[in-house]
Amino acid sequence: MNDEEFPKDVLPFEEEIKKYIDKYVLGEDKEAHVSTSSFYRHYKDKYDVMNDNYKRILDQYMHSSQNHNYEDVFINLFNMSKELHYLKNAFDYTGINSLGDFIYQYSYNTFIEMCKIKNIQFEDKDFLLLDVFCGGASIMYQHYILGKFDLSPQQAGKILYQMFPDVFKISW
């Protein structure tokens, strides 16, 4: 994907976050008479809002009936990224609480929790494999969104699934 494929009217990341906060968060909070300062007691910064929004989307995909395995989830995440144009700008920020770091950490924790539910035992090498996979997958996803790969969502999802450690595939 290249820059020409993104709509020209995409707002910069900060404007997208403000728009999201105004529409989905403060709009609801205004009805409940909650101030902006109260809102920020729940979020560290605008990046925390972005990460929380992405977490909600990821959780929906993980629990969707259209997904039958991790490969389906990966393909759908790449499909979703085409709809969420603000992700391109979100990856510009690389500091503390960045989207890339959040995706890595949340993915890692999600896989661990799913394995615990199924009583799958881990060895140190398994944690190492998962660590490398989640770090690499986060970077791959970022590069995909930034247009560094000319792959369809299906191709990217299948490749990511092929790299996924087998010990964790059984946790679905």
Side-chain angles (χ1 to χ4, degrees):
M1 180 180 298
N2 55 41
D3 288 340
E4 296 91 50
E5 293 174 353
F6 282 96
K8 300 297 182 209
D9 61 343
V10 173
L11 298 173
F13 176 59
E14 286 77 12
E15 291 178 42
E16 285 284 350
I17 292 298
K18 183 179 180 331
K19 188 174 159 184
Y20 174 82
I21 292 169
D22 290 344
K23 184 174 181 180
Y24 296 106
V25 180
L26 293 181
E28 295 172 8
D29 288 350
K30 284 178 185 174
E31 291 176 16
H33 305 290
V34 176
S35 68
T36 303
S37 61
S38 295
F39 165 76
Y40 278 107
R41 282 186 216 141
H42 300 283
Y43 296 101
K44 291 183 260 184
D45 53 28
K46 61 188 174 188
Y47 304 107
D48 198 30
V49 175
M50 179 68 168
N51 294 343
D52 186 57
N53 185 44
Y54 190 82
K55 176 189 174 296
R56 289 175 208 223
I57 292 168
L58 186 61
D59 287 346
Q60 286 175 345
Y61 276 102
M62 288 296 292
H63 302 296
S64 171
S65 61
Q66 71 182 22
N67 296 318
H68 301 97
N69 55 40
Y70 287 117
E71 183 176 6
D72 292 343
V73 172
F74 297 154
I75 290 170
N76 284 317
L77 286 174
F78 284 105
N79 271 321
M80 173 200 66
S81 69
K82 291 188 175 284
E83 298 170 18
L84 301 177
H85 304 290
Y86 59 84
L87 288 176
K88 186 173 184 183
N89 292 328
F91 281 115
D92 286 342
Y93 176 71
T94 58
I96 295 173
N97 209 24
S98 69
L99 183 60
D101 286 345
F102 173 79
I103 290 171
Y104 156 75
Q105 193 62 56
Y106 190 70
S107 299
Y108 183 91
N109 292 338
T110 298
F111 292 129
I112 294 293
E113 286 305 312
M114 290 186 76
C115 289
K116 283 181 182 177
I117 290 169
K118 298 216 175 186
N119 292 320
I120 298 171
Q121 300 299 311
F122 305 106
E123 296 179 22
D124 284 344
K125 68 179 182 71
D126 299 327
F127 288 113
L128 178 60
L129 281 171
L130 185 61
D131 193 40
V132 170
F133 173 79
C134 290
S138 176
I139 292 168
M140 178 188 172
Y141 190 61
Q142 178 178 352
H143 288 182
Y144 180 83
I145 289 169
L146 296 175
K148 294 184 179 182
F149 302 123
D150 187 23
L151 300 169
S152 71
Q154 291 74 22
Q155 290 170 315
K158 286 181 184 298
I159 290 168
L160 190 58
Y161 184 71
Q162 289 169 353
M163 293 186 292
F164 192 46
D166 288 335
V167 69
F168 295 100
K169 288 179 181 176
I170 63 173
S171 68
W172 186 261

